[in-house]
Amino acid sequence: MLAMSSPTFSPLYRQIKELLLDSLRAGEWRPGEAIPSEIELATRYRVSQGTVRKAIDELAGENLLVRRQGKGTFVATHGERQVRFRFLRLSPDAGEPVAPERRLLDFRRARAGAELARLLEIKSGDPALVLRRLLVFGGDPVVLEEVWLPGNLFKGLSAVAITEHKGALYNLFETQFGTRMVRAEEKLKAVGADAPSAELLGVAPSHALLQVERLSFTYGDKPVEWRRGLYKTDRHHYRSELG
Amino acid sequence: MLAMSSPTFSPLYRQIKELLLDSLRAGEWRPGEAIPSEIELATRYRVSQGTVRKAIDELAGENLLVRRQGKGTFVATHGERQVRFRFLRLSPDAGEPVAPERRLLDFRRARAGAELARLLEIKSGDPALVLRRLLVFGGDPVVLEEVWLPGNLFKGLSAVAITEHKGALYNLFETQFGTRMVRAEEKLKAVGADAPSAELLGVAPSHALLQVERLSFTYGDKPVEWRRGLYKTDRHHYRSELG
DNA sequence: GAGTGGTCTAGACCACTAG
DNA sequence: TAGTGGTCTAGACCACTCC
């Protein structure tokens, strides 16, 4: 277990990290499951426990794994509370965040246009899935969003499956399709509401809305979802942490 | 160097981290300066080098320290390129980010109102400083913002000092006043432009703008700045990373 | 060559969880 | 009580920077 040379030098623990990442990508351990213990991994890869620890440390730092003292190390999942707040950054101006009601407006099969194909790194014309939905907080419609998915990865996804699923979309994706969203990049703009969106969100046309475009990635920075949301920020705001 | 008991258990490296934080707060090492070597710190605190390393690891992870192999460990500073991008999250839709021209519109001494006092954790009526400025990107006014500071921390700050300073405000704060902004929380909303803001940003009244409210903290989560910005997002967007 | 941070090991012991 | 992750140590050696 050594493979180093001057120009391509990569420390042992980083090679171990890559091996663990390979296993995660391959679905060897599914979201929520425990991975082997540090000692077992150290034996398997013929390195010291400390080296395995450092590899796991990095993966835990990237929120791919979760350590639980006395129990083991687990593949991170979107079932956990905190994770949801990491991906839905909208908070009420007053009071505690609550889980929204999700209303599916539309679900259909489509073909990827040039722009979507570029973003999702698939071919123009490849199958795609599109859904539109409304997030309603305490009776108040706050988010209108459109979600685009590569059809090949989410074969069999249906309006019924989405409607019947309790919990976040990302939870459905990882439990039913083995695809875990690991991180995302968002681009925010302020825009004026078009007529249909204004109607759905209960505001006047051209009312200022927060437009959020999101590209989500799974293991290995592979893009697997694109969405565009319109947020009504009259009584909510988008949280951002700088540091 | 041991102080542990069951309920208040804190590992050694975390105690070391607190000691290092104390030194940072006290200004023992100023932004940009090197801190003592790991071996020296290990000797000073009578722990192993590995324990010091772990303490420094965490501080580096929080962007308070920067490690440079072969040279030493340095107190992080707002002079560095990357840091600026961490705090100014506005990017042009097309092309590379560029440094904006900063036009100071207004600078004055004031008193903290109840709301500002609460946010900055000072007393209502305490001295405060307020400045308004415009950030202009390639001739295009894009950001209009108002910055509120506790007067006691930034005694002697003047319009001239701000105008003559090249570089970010945070750079001025840390070099002239020894106060380094370590992290910040932002709340974003979409709002319609009021008449004076619209005028300054070159848009029609009620044009949709991105409102960014920021509370900035120095070491120890002490709030030391509040700002409200209006971003024209016609050709720019706000970047956000979720993970 | 000397000094700094970075990696790796082996071993001891602590804290937490579960049967 | 056994198994897991968490801490701490001491020592060897590597990679990088500067003189």
Side-chain angles (χ1 to χ4, degrees):
Chain A
M1 178 39 80
L2 38 135
M4 42 186 70
S5 68
S6 217
T8 335
F9 172 69
S10 168
L12 241 190
Y13 75 87
R14 221 171 263 279
Q15 300 175 40
I16 305 295
K17 182 185 172 187
E18 283 307 315
L19 292 174
L20 293 173
L21 262 173
D22 288 342
S23 295
L24 286 171
R25 275 192 279 264
E28 188 173 328
W29 316 299
R30 298 187 49 103
E33 282 181 15
I35 72 171
S37 75
E38 295 178 353
I39 293 178
E40 192 180 331
L41 289 170
T43 312
R44 177 187 302 185
Y45 297 132
R46 297 167 175 259
V47 298
S48 77
Q49 186 184 353
T51 300
V52 170
R53 271 193 76 72
K54 186 139 189 189
I56 293 180
D57 275 347
E58 288 206 350
L59 293 170
E62 295 165 19
N63 298 309
L64 302 192
L65 296 177
V66 177
R67 323 187 77 140
R68 288 188 211 141
Q69 187 174 121
K71 300 178 74 173
T73 301
F74 299 79
V75 181
T77 167
H78 281 277
E80 295 135 51
R81 278 280 154 85
Q82 342 155 316
V83 182
R84 297 250 271 282
F85 291 137
R86 288 216 313 272
F87 280 83
L88 178 56
R89 313 206 58 118
L90 202 67
S91 288
D93 291 339
E96 287 304 297
V98 288
E101 174 199 344
R102 305 171 186 87
R103 290 190 197 149
L104 184 64
L105 302 177
D106 194 80
F107 176 85
R108 65 179 220 273
R109 278 154 241 287
R111 297 277 164 186
E115 180 62 5
L116 184 72
R118 187 182 63 78
L119 289 166
L120 294 184
E121 295 175 8
I122 58 179
K123 283 200 271 298
S124 196
D126 277 1
L129 302 172
V130 200
L131 64 98
R132 281 171 67 242
R133 61 175 190 170
L134 205 52
L135 301 188
V136 182
F137 293 78
D140 186 21
V142 177
V143 175
L144 170 64
E145 69 182 356
E146 198 168 67
V147 182
W148 292 75
L149 301 164
N152 292 332
L153 255 183
F154 296 93
K155 279 200 176 89
L157 181 61
S158 68
V160 175
I162 294 171
T163 307
E164 289 184 347
H165 176 75
K166 306 298 171 205
L169 260 189
Y170 286 176
N171 200 322
L172 175 67
F173 293 164
E174 77 185 13
T175 55
Q176 301 299 309
F177 300 91
T179 295
R180 178 177 147 72
M181 304 301 182
V182 158
R183 71 176 194 91
E185 295 173 357
E186 294 194 329
K187 294 181 181 181
L188 281 63
K189 277 175 180 276
V191 301
D194 59 277
S197 301
E199 169 81 27
L200 284 162
L201 290 171
V203 297
S206 88
H207 185 86
L209 296 174
L210 182 60
Q211 173 188 274
V212 180
E213 292 183 345
R214 174 192 297 184
L215 188 57
S216 300
F217 303 84
T218 186
Y219 302 117
D221 273 341
K222 187 186 170 197
V224 286
E225 183 209 55
W226 186 80
R227 24 174 111 181
R228 173 170 8 218
L230 292 173
Y231 294 14
K232 181 171 67 176
T233 55
D234 295 36
R235 283 179 294 277
H236 293 74
H237 61 268
Y238 181 105
R239 281 170 297 111
S240 180
E241 313 263 331
L242 316 185
Chain B
M1 177 38 78
L2 38 135
M4 42 184 69
S5 67
S6 217
T8 335
F9 172 68
S10 168
L12 241 190
Y13 75 87
R14 220 170 265 278
Q15 300 175 38
I16 305 296
K17 182 185 172 188
E18 282 308 315
L19 292 175
L20 293 173
L21 262 174
D22 287 342
S23 293
L24 285 170
R25 275 191 278 265
E28 188 173 328
W29 316 300
R30 298 186 48 101
E33 282 182 14
I35 72 172
S37 75
E38 295 178 353
I39 292 177
E40 193 178 332
L41 289 169
T43 311
R44 175 187 304 184
Y45 298 132
R46 299 167 174 258
V47 297
S48 78
Q49 187 185 353
T51 300
V52 170
R53 271 193 76 72
K54 187 139 189 187
I56 293 179
D57 275 347
E58 288 206 350
L59 292 169
E62 296 164 20
N63 298 309
L64 301 191
L65 296 177
V66 177
R67 324 187 76 138
R68 289 190 209 137
Q69 185 173 108
K71 300 178 76 173
T73 301
F74 300 78
V75 181
T77 166
H78 280 277
E80 295 135 52
R81 276 279 155 88
Q82 345 155 316
V83 182
R84 297 248 273 280
F85 290 137
R86 286 214 315 271
F87 280 83
L88 179 57
R89 313 207 58 119
L90 204 66
S91 288
D93 292 339
E96 287 303 298
V98 288
E101 175 199 344
R102 305 172 186 87
R103 291 190 197 149
L104 184 64
L105 303 178
D106 193 78
F107 176 86
R108 64 179 221 272
R109 277 154 244 284
R111 296 279 163 184
E115 179 62 6
L116 184 72
R118 188 182 61 79
L119 290 166
L120 294 184
E121 295 176 7
I122 58 179
K123 283 201 271 298
S124 195
D126 276 2
L129 303 172
V130 199
L131 64 98
R132 281 171 68 243
R133 61 175 189 169
L134 206 52
L135 301 188
V136 182
F137 293 78
D140 185 21
V142 176
V143 175
L144 170 64
E145 67 182 357
E146 197 168 70
V147 180
W148 292 75
L149 301 163
N152 292 333
L153 256 182
F154 296 93
K155 279 200 176 87
L157 182 60
S158 68
V160 175
I162 295 170
T163 307
E164 289 185 346
H165 176 74
K166 307 298 172 204
L169 260 188
Y170 287 176
N171 200 324
L172 174 67
F173 293 164
E174 76 184 14
T175 55
Q176 301 300 308
F177 300 91
T179 294
R180 180 177 145 74
M181 304 300 182
V182 158
R183 71 175 195 91
E185 296 173 358
E186 294 194 330
K187 295 181 180 180
L188 281 62
K189 279 175 179 277
V191 301
D194 59 277
S197 302
E199 168 82 26
L200 284 162
L201 290 171
V203 296
S206 88
H207 185 86
L209 296 175
L210 182 62
Q211 173 188 275
V212 180
E213 292 184 345
R214 174 192 297 184
L215 187 57
S216 299
F217 303 84
T218 186
Y219 303 117
D221 272 342
K222 187 186 171 197
V224 284
E225 182 208 56
W226 185 81
R227 27 174 110 181
R228 174 182 300 166
L230 291 172
Y231 294 14
K232 180 171 67 176
T233 54
D234 296 36
R235 283 178 294 277
H236 293 75
H237 62 267
Y238 181 104
R239 283 169 296 111
S240 180
E241 314 261 332
L242 316 186

